[in-house]
Amino acid sequence: IGLIGQSRHFTINTYGFDAHNNSRFETGPVRHTLTVGGDAFKDYVDTGGFGVVFTPSGDRTVSGAFVQLKSNY
C-alpha cells in the first residue's frame, strides 16, 4: 500500500461497438429466428504514481461474435 499523500492517477478511455441482426423465416410449420451479432472494445489505460500497482498502463482489445437460432413449432 502506498504512503499517505502519495499521488496516483488513472485515465481509461474505452471505444467500442455492439451490433446484431434478427432474421425471421418459416420452414413448413416451424418458425425460426436467426440472430447474428458481435461486439468489440478497446481500452487505452494510462496510470501514474502509485496507481501503476493496481492498474498497469497499456492497451486491451476484446471482441466476440455469436449466432443463435430459435425455433418454434
Side-chain angles (χ1 to χ4, degrees), residues 5-6 9 11 16 20 23 33-35 40 42 45 48 50 52 61 66:
Q6 188 173 3
H9 77 270
T11 303
H20 68 275
S23 298
T33 302
L34 178 65
T35 305
K42 184 162 188 157
V45 180
F50 189 67
V52 299
T61 303
F66 68 91

Side-chain angles (χ1 to χ4, degrees), residues 8 10 18 20 34-35 44 46 48 62 70:
R8 62 182 173 196
F10 304 88
D18 177 9
H20 68 275
L34 178 65
T35 305
Y44 299 93
D46 178 35
V62 178
K70 178 180 177 186

